mmCIF file of all heavy atoms in Angstrom:
data_model
loop_
_atom_site.group_PDB
_atom_site.id
_atom_site.type_symbol
_atom_site.label_atom_id
_atom_site.label_comp_id
_atom_site.label_asym_id
_atom_site.label_seq_id
_atom_site.Cartn_x
_atom_site.Cartn_y
_atom_site.Cartn_z
ATOM 1 N N ALA A 125 -1.138 56.910 48.351
ATOM 2 C CA ALA A 125 -0.911 58.318 48.684
ATOM 3 C C ALA A 125 -1.532 58.675 50.052
ATOM 4 O O ALA A 125 -0.947 59.428 50.820
ATOM 5 C CB ALA A 125 -1.478 59.205 47.586
ATOM 6 N N ALA A 126 -2.709 58.116 50.325
ATOM 7 C CA ALA A 126 -3.375 58.376 51.606
ATOM 8 C C ALA A 126 -2.559 57.817 52.767
ATOM 9 O O ALA A 126 -2.453 58.453 53.823
ATOM 10 C CB ALA A 126 -4.771 57.792 51.596
ATOM 11 N N ILE A 127 -1.955 56.646 52.558
ATOM 12 C CA ILE A 127 -1.104 56.078 53.602
ATOM 13 C C ILE A 127 0.115 56.970 53.827
ATOM 14 O O ILE A 127 0.457 57.288 54.965
ATOM 15 C CB ILE A 127 -0.658 54.646 53.227
ATOM 16 C CG1 ILE A 127 -1.845 53.693 53.304
ATOM 17 C CG2 ILE A 127 0.482 54.164 54.119
ATOM 18 C CD1 ILE A 127 -1.559 52.298 52.764
ATOM 19 N N LEU A 128 0.774 57.381 52.748
ATOM 20 C CA LEU A 128 1.971 58.228 52.891
ATOM 21 C C LEU A 128 1.642 59.554 53.550
ATOM 22 O O LEU A 128 2.406 60.047 54.382
ATOM 23 C CB LEU A 128 2.615 58.446 51.532
ATOM 24 C CG LEU A 128 3.227 57.194 50.888
ATOM 25 C CD1 LEU A 128 3.709 57.514 49.469
ATOM 26 C CD2 LEU A 128 4.375 56.664 51.737
ATOM 27 N N LYS A 129 0.495 60.123 53.191
ATOM 28 C CA LYS A 129 0.083 61.386 53.800
ATOM 29 C C LYS A 129 -0.150 61.231 55.308
ATOM 30 O O LYS A 129 0.301 62.067 56.098
ATOM 31 C CB LYS A 129 -1.202 61.886 53.123
ATOM 32 C CG LYS A 129 -1.690 63.212 53.632
ATOM 33 C CD LYS A 129 -2.912 63.668 52.856
ATOM 34 C CE LYS A 129 -3.410 65.007 53.394
ATOM 35 N NZ LYS A 129 -4.616 65.468 52.672
ATOM 36 N N ALA A 130 -0.811 60.131 55.692
ATOM 37 C CA ALA A 130 -1.070 59.891 57.117
ATOM 38 C C ALA A 130 0.243 59.634 57.874
ATOM 39 O O ALA A 130 0.424 60.117 58.982
ATOM 40 C CB ALA A 130 -2.020 58.714 57.267
ATOM 41 N N VAL A 131 1.135 58.871 57.274
ATOM 42 C CA VAL A 131 2.420 58.588 57.931
ATOM 43 C C VAL A 131 3.207 59.878 58.104
ATOM 44 O O VAL A 131 3.747 60.133 59.193
ATOM 45 C CB VAL A 131 3.218 57.542 57.105
ATOM 46 C CG1 VAL A 131 4.650 57.451 57.590
ATOM 47 C CG2 VAL A 131 2.539 56.184 57.161
ATOM 48 N N ALA A 132 3.268 60.694 57.078
ATOM 49 C CA ALA A 132 4.016 61.955 57.151
ATOM 50 C C ALA A 132 3.422 62.912 58.191
ATOM 51 O O ALA A 132 4.156 63.609 58.883
ATOM 52 C CB ALA A 132 4.050 62.621 55.786
ATOM 53 N N ALA A 133 2.098 62.891 58.293
ATOM 54 C CA ALA A 133 1.435 63.809 59.235
ATOM 55 C C ALA A 133 1.351 63.225 60.644
ATOM 56 O O ALA A 133 0.995 63.925 61.587
ATOM 57 C CB ALA A 133 0.034 64.118 58.729
ATOM 58 N N GLY A 134 1.652 61.930 60.785
ATOM 59 C CA GLY A 134 1.554 61.305 62.076
ATOM 60 C C GLY A 134 0.143 61.044 62.537
ATOM 61 O O GLY A 134 -0.131 60.952 63.728
ATOM 62 N N THR A 135 -0.775 60.958 61.552
ATOM 63 C CA THR A 135 -2.174 60.698 61.905
ATOM 64 C C THR A 135 -2.485 59.213 61.786
ATOM 65 O O THR A 135 -1.852 58.473 61.036
ATOM 66 C CB THR A 135 -3.132 61.493 60.996
ATOM 67 O OG1 THR A 135 -2.865 61.142 59.634
ATOM 68 C CG2 THR A 135 -2.932 62.988 61.147
ATOM 69 N N ALA A 136 -3.470 58.794 62.555
ATOM 70 C CA ALA A 136 -3.876 57.386 62.564
ATOM 71 C C ALA A 136 -4.594 57.001 61.276
ATOM 72 O O ALA A 136 -5.224 57.845 60.638
ATOM 73 C CB ALA A 136 -4.772 57.119 63.762
ATOM 74 N N ILE A 137 -4.464 55.746 60.934
ATOM 75 C CA ILE A 137 -5.159 55.220 59.767
ATOM 76 C C ILE A 137 -5.697 53.860 60.138
ATOM 77 O O ILE A 137 -5.094 53.156 60.967
ATOM 78 C CB ILE A 137 -4.210 55.199 58.548
ATOM 79 C CG1 ILE A 137 -4.972 55.096 57.256
ATOM 80 C CG2 ILE A 137 -3.175 54.111 58.672
ATOM 81 C CD1 ILE A 137 -4.183 55.496 56.044
ATOM 82 N N ASP A 138 -6.816 53.465 59.565
ATOM 83 C CA ASP A 138 -7.434 52.190 59.868
ATOM 84 C C ASP A 138 -6.507 51.049 59.501
ATOM 85 O O ASP A 138 -6.218 50.809 58.322
ATOM 86 C CB ASP A 138 -8.757 52.070 59.091
ATOM 87 C CG ASP A 138 -9.456 50.739 59.309
ATOM 88 O OD1 ASP A 138 -9.203 50.073 60.340
ATOM 89 O OD2 ASP A 138 -10.266 50.381 58.440
ATOM 90 N N VAL A 149 1.834 46.924 61.114
ATOM 91 C CA VAL A 149 2.116 48.376 61.158
ATOM 92 C C VAL A 149 1.686 48.970 59.825
ATOM 93 O O VAL A 149 1.911 48.386 58.775
ATOM 94 C CB VAL A 149 3.618 48.628 61.360
ATOM 95 C CG1 VAL A 149 3.920 50.108 61.426
ATOM 96 C CG2 VAL A 149 4.122 47.922 62.598
ATOM 97 N N VAL A 150 1.059 50.147 59.890
ATOM 98 C CA VAL A 150 0.745 50.879 58.667
ATOM 99 C C VAL A 150 1.863 51.902 58.452
ATOM 100 O O VAL A 150 2.063 52.786 59.281
ATOM 101 C CB VAL A 150 -0.612 51.597 58.753
ATOM 102 C CG1 VAL A 150 -0.910 52.375 57.495
ATOM 103 C CG2 VAL A 150 -1.734 50.580 59.026
ATOM 104 N N ASN A 151 2.606 51.726 57.361
ATOM 105 C CA ASN A 151 3.731 52.609 57.079
ATOM 106 C C ASN A 151 3.983 52.672 55.561
ATOM 107 O O ASN A 151 3.188 52.152 54.774
ATOM 108 C CB ASN A 151 4.982 52.171 57.854
ATOM 109 C CG ASN A 151 5.359 50.726 57.563
ATOM 110 O OD1 ASN A 151 5.083 50.183 56.501
ATOM 111 N ND2 ASN A 151 6.018 50.094 58.533
ATOM 112 N N ALA A 152 5.100 53.282 55.188
ATOM 113 C CA ALA A 152 5.423 53.462 53.781
ATOM 114 C C ALA A 152 5.589 52.141 53.045
ATOM 115 O O ALA A 152 5.397 52.091 51.822
ATOM 116 C CB ALA A 152 6.678 54.323 53.629
#
Side-chain angles (χ1 to χ4, degrees):
I127 290 172
L128 293 174
K129 182 177 179 180
V131 168
T135 58
I137 198 161
D138 178 22
V149 181
V150 178
N151 56 27

